Amino acid sequence: MKNPDPNTHPVQAPIDGVLDLHTFRPQEVPDLIREYLHACRIRHITKIRIIHGKGKGVLRETVHAILRREPVVRGFHLANDRSSWGATLVDIYPPNVSLPPRRPPEAKAHRPGRVPGWYRLLHRIFVRHRGGI
């Protein structure tokens, strides 16, 4: 695939444990985070700071969703310093520790006899309209 603009070059992010997402496009973020986590793990960097900014929280939620699914992530939380919710601190497993087995995503348990709230609402709307005619 050809680069549409020959004057642009790929952005190089230093592997130092701090990843600032401000210079990347949103569609680049998922692959970037995964690759960065693995590159840090190889270099024995287990404490990572991902700067996503405050804003409306869309990028923060995207980052957290990626971190929840990534097996190298031991845990993460919002920064407790001056950046507060503008950065997430990530703890990953060191390379000499085997990763925990991956669990399949849990399916929502079906409760027999229990109807979802949206279905009850729609049923009430349509039964009232039909019954009132």
Side-chain angles (χ1 to χ4, degrees), residues 53-93:
K54 295 178 182 178
K56 294 181 180 179
V58 176
L59 185 56
R60 178 184 66 237
E61 288 304 318
T62 300
V63 168
H64 289 187
I66 294 164
L67 294 175
R68 280 186 208 98
R69 292 189 305 264
E70 189 57 42
V72 299
V73 174
R74 180 181 282 176
F76 64 92
H77 59 88
L78 291 174
N80 294 332
D81 55 13
R82 61 184 166 79
S83 64
S84 85
W85 70 86
T88 296
L89 303 178
V90 185
D91 186 24
I92 63 172
Y93 290 100

Side-chain angles (χ1 to χ4, degrees), residues 13-19 32-50 72 90 92-95:
I15 311 298
D16 60 359
V18 178
L19 177 61
L32 174 69
I33 290 175
R34 286 186 201 98
E35 290 176 23
Y36 193 81
L37 293 175
H38 290 283
C40 284
R41 186 169 190 247
I42 289 169
R43 290 169 175 80
H44 296 269
I45 300 171
T46 59
K47 305 290 184 195
I48 301 164
R49 178 185 197 86
I50 299 177
V72 299
V90 185
I92 63 172
Y93 290 100

